[in-house]
Amino acid sequence: MSEFSLIYTHFQHATAKHKNTILGIGDDCAISRIPPDCELVSCVDTLVAGRHFVFETSPHAIGYKSVAVNLSDLASMGATPYAILLGLSLPNHDNDWLKEFSRGIADICHQFNVELIGGDTTKSDILTISITALGFVKKGQAIRRDNAKIGDVICVSGRIGTASLALSYILGENGRCKHSNSINELSNHLKTALQYPTPQVALGQLLLDYANSMIDISDGLGQDLGHILKASGVGAKLYLENIPCIDELNDLPLDKKYQHIINGGDDYQLCFTMSQENFDKFTALYPNRIYPIGEIVANQGVDFFYQNQQVDFKIQGWEHF
Amino acid sequence: MSEFSLIYTHFQHATAKHKNTILGIGDDCAISRIPPDCELVSCVDTLVAGRHFVFETSPHAIGYKSVAVNLSDLASMGATPYAILLGLSLPNHDNDWLKEFSRGIADICHQFNVELIGGDTTKSDILTISITALGFVKKGQAIRRDNAKIGDVICVSGRIGTASLALSYILGENGRCKHSNSINELSNHLKTALQYPTPQVALGQLLLDYANSMIDISDGLGQDLGHILKASGVGAKLYLENIPCIDELNDLPLDKKYQHIINGGDDYQLCFTMSQENFDKFTALYPNRIYPIGEIVANQGVDFFYQNQQVDFKIQGWEHF
């Protein structure tokens, strides 16, 4: 079962060769050198066709995004990506599909200097992609969820709600698009947000000396910020009008707009907290790079404000079942 | 998508807590300390219901075996298992099923001091389990496939063909048993071979100072030995009557017997090669622990012998598609 030979030909020269790899694909296991001053950071994410992407998604985009969501998890710790292992279950051995899928994986791996060091291919009626990502972080430096401090500024790394809006335009029934051409009809920035999210790796590393807590926004800003709050035993005030978003969202009624922004998932921006002092230092060094959207308070839960008025809002992010 | 909260409750206290884990389940990533004199060894294996196990398999056995096949890959490098990450796709959120499944995972994790450090759960119509296993090996010591030497003794770690025979007794159509009770009607040693294979972790480590090359037998002895031969650029003579097997296999016609032994998979014994000198040393220290079944020769391919006569035999192991 440990064989990967079927698609080995597609991947063998496809991803970056990393200096820390002693033995890559081709044996029972890969062997890797961990930098002596570093800890290993690891995570796994699984994508299922018709659930995490519509069936009409191109194999290139599926490959790219499958890696992106994992690198986003590494980014949220401030880690430097190193390698991935790929568990691929697919209905049939379609060479053209595999070629495009592996090209998507290769493109993002080259972009972030990541090597595919292990893989397993099995037949299954449903396309399922399970990727484990490995990265390094200097000893004791990783940014966790459980260290938000009262008084911290809550920030995000970019526009929120874009992927959710894009999905609302195309999603029909049973994991399929409304029309076969729905994805192509999206404007470019929506298509990119949905299919080619950029993991915020560089920013994650910049934040190592500044942020107290961090998470990536995969399940929705409300739900993911909620994980920081719960792990840290604190609460938050969110100033809705401060959350950056694309213009199309501003054209929607407020409740719809903030449904996408607070409850929509799949943006893969970072949400993080830091002291006001660090916020001032960071924004002086890197202007317009991060967006303050609220503050950490002692009272648990999230209070939402819109133009200085407290408003009711129900957090309900991505449902796993 | 990075959430695991659904079954976190089942796993939180289920697996061994490992001294090298700085941060386990509950954040975007796990953080691990790698022993300074060690390299990281990693692998991934995916199991699909109806393909890698019959649908009637108990959730406890599915959990146990999913980890076992991965630890077997670590064993085949001589590595010490450390941790697993679990990508789980399942049709519905059945608490009883999850409890038994996680108990199976916990049992083998406790047995081998392995910690579950990461996980992701998604809904899918087909139960699919993708596990990444991490282990450690002393720098430069891992036993690879590509170092078999001409003159090496080829050995296996135990009886071969047992799982294949068990499967032939129970397998009906479409990934199901012949009868709903087929598994329970198997005698205990067959049931265990099929459902609860023991990864040869301790033996793998013992062989670190002795073996030149090693692989685990997942796809069939013939096919897996073939990987060693191909990677090492050598060939083999196999003495069929020397391959250890259970008594039931001896009752079969020779061609059927050796179909199970050479082409059957799922045994998770080790196949390895070492010099005659090391073989003598090892067997003096550890009698009856390993079984010599052939020798490495210069001519590529495998020549089969039965009672000093060369015989024709076609190697055809587990098919991935």
Side-chain angles (χ1 to χ4, degrees), chain B residues 61-310:
Chain B
I62 295 170
Y64 188 98
K65 185 169 175 176
S66 301
V67 178
V69 303
N70 279 281
L71 299 190
S72 179
D73 280 324
L74 294 181
S76 75
M77 311 295 285
T80 302
Y82 152 56
I84 56 166
L85 298 99
L86 166 65
L88 177 63
S89 308
L90 72 171
N92 46 52
H93 181 203
D94 174 339
N95 249 319
D96 291 339
W97 190 95
L98 279 172
K99 193 174 161 189
E100 280 304 290
F101 174 74
S102 56
R103 200 170 61 79
I105 287 192
D107 283 351
I108 187 164
C109 283
H110 278 294
Q111 194 180 340
F112 289 96
N113 190 29
V114 167
E115 181 169 355
L116 180 81
I117 58 168
D120 184 37
T121 319
T122 61
K123 192 175 166 68
S124 171
D125 288 343
I126 300 175
L127 173 62
T128 306
I129 301 138
S130 193
I131 290 185
T132 294
L134 306 177
F136 307 135
V137 68
K138 286 267 192 301
K139 284 180 180 169
Q141 297 299 301
I143 307 172
R144 302 157 57 144
R145 296 182 182 179
D146 60 1
N147 196 37
K149 308 284 190 201
I150 294 165
D152 272 5
V153 183
I154 302 169
C155 303
V156 292
S157 59
R159 290 167 171 172
I160 309 296
T162 318
S164 173
L165 181 68
L167 189 64
S168 74
Y169 285 155
I170 65 161
L171 191 63
E173 286 182 356
N174 300 322
R176 302 200 168 273
C177 286
K178 285 173 188 156
H179 317 290
S180 61
N181 206 33
S182 294
I183 294 177
N184 290 331
E185 287 167 357
L186 286 173
S187 52
N188 275 336
H189 63 295
L190 292 181
K191 217 185 298 182
T192 301
L194 193 66
Q195 300 197 303
Y196 295 97
T198 303
Q200 300 297 308
V201 169
L203 180 63
Q205 291 169 27
L206 280 186
L207 290 167
L208 279 172
D209 293 330
Y210 298 90
N212 286 330
S213 68
M214 185 147 65
I215 195 167
D216 73 320
I217 303 171
S218 53
D219 295 343
L221 172 58
Q223 186 167 311
D224 289 320
L225 173 61
H227 292 311
I228 287 184
L229 303 180
K230 193 178 169 194
S232 303
V234 294
K237 288 183 180 178
L238 275 195
Y239 306 110
L240 291 174
E241 72 274 21
N242 287 7
I243 305 174
C245 67
I246 57 169
D247 287 342
E248 287 97 319
L249 281 166
N250 290 323
D251 298 338
L252 296 181
L254 278 184
D255 61 332
K256 290 226 165 125
K257 170 181 173 182
Y258 286 107
Q259 280 298 336
H260 289 299
I261 290 176
I262 301 297
N263 291 336
D266 251 16
D267 281 316
Y268 304 101
Q269 296 291 343
L270 297 173
C271 176
F272 45 96
T273 78
M274 60 176 78
S275 67
Q276 183 68 51
E277 187 189 347
N278 277 356
F279 178 80
D280 295 340
K281 280 190 202 166
F282 189 92
T283 49
L285 268 173
Y286 309 103
N288 305 316
R289 192 74 184 78
I290 64 176
Y291 304 85
I293 63 167
E295 61 186 291
I296 296 293
V297 296
N299 278 350
Q300 295 194 14
V302 180
D303 289 334
F304 294 96
F305 294 85
Y306 186 74
Q307 296 176 342
N308 297 320
Q309 293 283 326
Q310 189 164 353

Side-chain angles (χ1 to χ4, degrees), chain A residues 262-287:
Chain A
I262 301 297
N263 291 336
D266 251 16
D267 281 317
Y268 304 102
Q269 296 291 344
L270 297 172
C271 176
F272 45 96
T273 79
M274 60 176 78
S275 67
Q276 183 67 51
E277 186 190 347
N278 278 356
F279 177 80
D280 294 340
K281 278 190 203 167
F282 189 92
T283 49
L285 268 173
Y286 309 103

Side-chain angles (χ1 to χ4, degrees), chain A residues 1 6 46 120 219 268 321, chain B residues 1 6 46 120 219 268 321:
Chain A
M1 254 176 298
L6 267 175
T46 302
D120 185 36
D219 295 343
Y268 304 102
F321 274 89
Chain B
M1 253 176 297
L6 267 177
T46 302
D120 184 37
D219 295 343
Y268 304 101
F321 273 88

